[in-house]
C-alpha cells in the first residue's frame, strides 16, 4: 500500500490546497495512472517554485530589456504575474524533499499505465543527472524508441524537444536534424515563414555556440543529409494526416 503523507503535512480538508490533495490521492491504494500523472505535474511545479519566484523578482527589480520583453506581451501584468508565482510557492510549502522525490514514482506509474506522452516525460526525468541510476539501459532504450516514434508520427511537442537535445534523448545527428527541420516546416505551415524566422535564428545561434564549444554533432555526410531530408518529409506528412 502506498505510504500516506506524514502527519506534519496533513491539514484539514477545508484548508488543504489542491496540490496537496492531488498528491494525497495519488498515494492512496488503487490510485489511477491519470492521478499519478497529475501528482507528478504538481511536484514538478513545486520543485521549481522557489526558482520561479526568484526569477520573477529579478525580472521586476532589475528592469532592462528582459522586463521590457515581458511587458510587451498583451495583457501582461507584473504584479499579477508575481502574485501567481507567490501563490504557487505558498501552496507548495507542504512538500518536503522526500515527497518531491516521489515524482519519479508517479511518472513511472503513469507511463506503465500507458498514458499518452508519458514516455517523453519519464525519459526527461530519467535523463536528469541525479535520476540516471534509476534507469536500466533496456528501459532507456525502450523509452527512446517510443519517443522517437511519437516524433515521427508528427507530434509537434515531441519534435520540439529534440531541437536542443544534441543526442541527449538517444537520437542520432541525422534524426535530430530531421526532427528539427520537420518542426520548422510545420511551424511555417501553421504560422507562415515570417513568424518562424525568429525560431530558426534562435536555433542557429545556439548551434553556433555549441560548435564553438565543440559540443554540437558533426556535420552530416551527403548520404546522411539525404536520409534526413527523407525522414523530414515523412514526419511532415504524418503531421498533415493528423490535422
Amino acid at each position: 500500500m502506498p505510504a500516506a503523507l506524514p502527519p506534519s503535512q496533513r491539514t484539514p480538508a477545508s484548508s488543504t490546497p489542491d496540490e496537496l490533495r492531488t498528491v494525497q490521492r495519488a498515494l492512496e491504494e488503487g490510485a489511477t495512472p491519470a492521478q499519478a500523472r497529475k501528482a507528478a505535474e504538481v511536484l514538478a511545479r513545486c520543485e521549481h517554485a522557489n526558482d520561479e519566484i526568484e526569477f520573477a523578482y529579478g525580472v521586476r527589480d532589475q528592469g532592462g530589456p528582459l522586463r521590457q520583453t515581458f511587458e510587451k506581451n498583451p495583457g501582461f501584468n507584473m504584479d499579477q504575474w508575481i502574485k501567481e508565482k507567490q501563490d504557487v510557492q505558498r501552496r507548495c510549502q507542504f512538500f518536503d524533499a522526500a515527497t518531491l522525490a516521489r515524482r519519479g514514482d508517479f511518472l513511472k506509474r503513469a507511463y506503465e499505465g500507458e498514458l499518452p506522452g508519458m514516455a517523453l516525460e519519464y525519459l526527461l526525468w530519467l535523463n536528469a543527472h541525479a535520476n540516471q541510476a534509476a534507469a536500466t539501459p533496456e528501459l532507456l532504450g525502450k523509452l527512446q524508441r517510443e519517443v522517437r516514434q511519437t516524433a515521427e508520427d508528427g507530434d509537434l511537442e515531441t519534435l520540439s524537444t529534440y531541437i536542443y537535445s544534441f543526442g541527449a534523448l538517444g537520437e542520432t545527428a541525422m534524426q535530430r536534424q530531421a526532427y528539427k527541420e520537420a518542426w520548422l516546416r510545420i511551424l511555417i505551415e501553421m504560422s507562415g515563414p515570417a513568424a518562424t524566422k525568429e525560431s530558426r535564428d534562435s536555433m542557429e545561434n545556439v548551434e553556433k555556440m555549441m560548435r564553438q564549444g565543440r559540443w554540437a554533432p558533426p556535420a552530416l555526410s551527403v548520404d546522411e543529409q539525404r536520409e534526413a531530408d527523407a525522414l523530414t518529409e515523412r514526419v511532415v506528412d504524418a503531421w498533415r494526416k493528423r490535422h
Side-chain angles (χ1 to χ4, degrees):
M1 178 182 299
L5 291 175
S8 61
Q9 291 178 259
R10 298 175 192 161
T11 59
S14 60
S15 60
T16 303
D18 290 342
E19 286 83 354
L20 184 53
R21 286 198 295 270
T22 297
V23 173
Q24 287 174 331
R25 281 194 293 268
L27 289 169
E28 293 172 356
E29 186 174 7
T32 66
Q35 289 171 325
R37 176 174 58 187
K38 288 181 180 179
E41 292 170 352
V42 165
L43 295 184
R45 189 162 59 246
C46 287
E47 184 178 351
H48 302 292
N50 290 336
D51 292 336
E52 289 282 334
I53 191 63
E54 288 300 322
F55 174 73
Y57 288 151
V59 171
R60 180 195 64 186
D61 298 339
Q62 294 176 18
L66 184 57
R67 176 167 179 165
Q68 293 171 12
T69 299
F70 274 84
E71 292 180 334
K72 286 179 181 178
N73 292 321
F76 177 80
N77 181 286
M78 179 66 69
D79 291 337
Q80 180 62 31
W81 183 55
I82 288 178
K83 181 180 183 302
E84 290 171 357
K85 302 290 186 185
Q86 291 171 330
D87 288 343
V88 172
Q89 185 185 49
R90 174 179 51 78
R91 296 196 303 270
C92 287
Q93 66 184 334
F94 293 93
F95 300 123
D96 58 16
T99 305
L100 292 173
R102 298 296 299 269
R103 181 183 168 204
D105 295 335
F106 293 141
L107 289 170
K108 181 175 184 291
R109 284 164 49 195
Y111 168 69
E112 292 176 346
E114 300 183 351
L115 294 182
M118 290 313 303
L120 176 59
E121 292 297 319
Y122 193 25
L123 178 60
L124 291 173
W125 184 84
L126 289 171
N127 272 357
H129 179 72
N131 305 322
Q132 288 179 352
T136 64
E138 292 77 15
L139 174 60
L140 282 176
K142 182 174 184 290
L143 290 167
Q144 290 168 356
R145 289 190 297 274
E146 291 180 10
V147 174
R148 286 198 299 272
Q149 186 59 59
T150 302
E152 292 178 21
D153 287 341
D155 183 77
L156 194 60
E157 181 178 358
T158 304
L159 287 169
S160 70
T161 308
Y162 285 98
I163 292 171
Y164 302 116
S165 172
F166 298 99
L169 297 178
E171 79 283 4
T172 66
M174 182 281 295
Q175 289 167 332
R176 186 250 168 191
Q177 175 69 15
Y179 300 156
K180 180 190 76 170
E181 288 301 321
W183 185 78
L184 286 166
R185 288 260 306 270
I186 292 168
L187 284 190
I188 289 173
E189 292 199 16
M190 293 174 62
S191 307
T196 308
K197 184 180 184 302
E198 185 176 347
S199 295
R200 185 178 286 279
D201 290 346
S202 175
M203 289 181 202
E204 290 177 353
N205 289 336
V206 170
E207 291 181 12
K208 181 179 179 180
M209 289 187 292
M210 295 289 281
R211 285 192 294 272
Q212 291 173 345
R214 298 182 181 181
W215 297 316
L220 299 183
S221 68
V222 173
D223 288 341
E224 288 173 330
Q225 186 61 59
R226 187 180 300 112
E227 190 176 355
D229 292 342
L231 180 54
T232 296
E233 292 294 337
R234 293 198 299 273
V235 173
V236 174
D237 286 344
W239 176 82
R240 288 172 179 152
K241 291 176 182 177
R242 292 166 58 117
H243 297 82

